[in-house]
Amino acid sequence: MRLVLLGPPGSGKGTQAARLKDYLGVPHISTGDLLRAEVAAGTPLGLQAREVMARGDLVSDEILLGMLKDRFSRDDTRPGFILDGYPRNLAQAAALGELLASLGQKFDAAVQLAVDNEKIIERLAGRAKAEGRADDSPESVRHRLNVYDQQTAPVIAFYREQGQLSVVDGVGSLDEVFGRILEAIGR
Ligand code: B4P
């Protein structure tokens, strides 16, 4: 199964991808996690990304594509993957299509987790307290939601027009949302 998980920040992509990985037996590729690992390791890429992420902006398409190509060069992605956090704009959607085509692959499903802004602000405020992520501050969350509306919503529209999109209600218990995703992908 090759699955792309879409949705606003705090919609539960990372949370559900961690469960789907075990259930489907394919790797979870989170561009946010890959970037946070670079930041934690203090690599040149991480130093570049750190401020951009804390503000809630998107890290450059070039950096993301380089990271993704590197990750997809590993054999474990051959049987499938759950891609979480990518694509976040139309240029990234095009780049993903080209990267997969170059590997002789296509994704099977794009699932959007739908959660309203009020709920997202509540969830991320909870995570800010629990984990202290710099980009979960109220200003950064507001900005991330704007970035999502301006840059990522067109990706959703694009996949919808292509008939590749399933929309899943992301509000409910973790088990409920998980069950809805499985239903949407026919598992
Ligand atoms: P991400 O790591 O993708 O962060 P996110 O959008 O906040 O999603 P995340 O997966 O962490 O949250 P989740 O919904 O699981 O990106 C962070 C930053 O990295 C971006 O802002 C950007 O700067 C950069 N970046 C990443 N990808 C990029 C790209 N492609 N291009 C450019 N830049 C990129 O969970 C949120 C919270 O909700 C958790 O606390 C969880 O416990 C809770 N929750 C989840 N499901 C719930 C439920 N059903 N009920 C109640 N709470 C729930």
Side-chain angles (χ1 to χ4, degrees):
M1 167 64 66
R2 300 186 174 96
L3 177 64
V4 176
L5 271 187
L6 301 161
S11 56
K13 302 181 300 287
T15 307
Q16 294 296 334
R19 299 179 140 214
L20 287 162
K21 166 183 96 128
D22 294 333
Y23 188 86
L24 299 171
V26 294
H28 169 202
I29 303 174
S30 158
T31 48
D33 286 350
L34 292 174
L35 286 167
R36 280 185 288 276
E38 297 281 347
V39 172
T43 63
L45 192 160
L47 292 176
Q48 242 179 297
R50 196 165 67 115
E51 294 298 313
V52 180
M53 291 174 78
R55 280 202 307 270
D57 279 320
L58 297 184
V59 176
S60 87
D61 291 346
E62 197 188 344
I63 288 182
L64 264 292
L65 184 60
M67 269 182 12
L68 208 62
K69 278 186 174 161
D70 187 50
R71 185 63 189 86
F72 274 92
S73 70
R74 284 166 53 185
D75 283 347
D76 65 339
T77 59
R78 280 208 197 136
F81 55 79
I82 299 150
L83 187 54
D84 154 21
Y86 193 98
R88 266 179 151 94
N89 59 31
L90 286 172
Q92 292 186 5
L96 176 64
E98 283 167 24
L99 174 61
L100 291 179
S102 75
L103 299 168
Q105 297 180 6
K106 268 190 203 157
F107 64 79
D108 301 303
V111 173
Q112 178 201 4
L113 292 179
V115 178
D116 63 45
N117 285 2
E118 207 179 311
K119 202 94 197 159
I120 283 168
I121 289 166
E122 193 185 297
R123 283 185 187 176
L124 294 182
R127 188 169 67 182
K129 271 198 198 140
E131 296 178 18
R133 245 172 73 170
D135 61 346
D136 285 341
S137 69
E139 311 79 65
S140 182
V141 169
R142 263 195 303 276
H143 187 60
R144 285 158 71 197
L145 288 170
N146 282 336
V147 168
Y148 181 82
D149 286 342
Q150 284 164 21
Q151 303 200 45
T152 312
V155 174
I156 307 269
F158 173 70
Y159 286 147
R160 182 180 290 117
E161 279 161 26
Q162 304 287 314
Q164 289 172 298
L165 185 76
S166 301
V167 181
V168 162
D169 179 4
V171 179
S173 72
L174 300 189
D175 285 343
E176 280 166 349
V177 177
F178 185 63
R180 289 177 202 144
I181 297 173
L182 293 185
E183 202 183 330
I185 63 175
R187 292 296 178 116

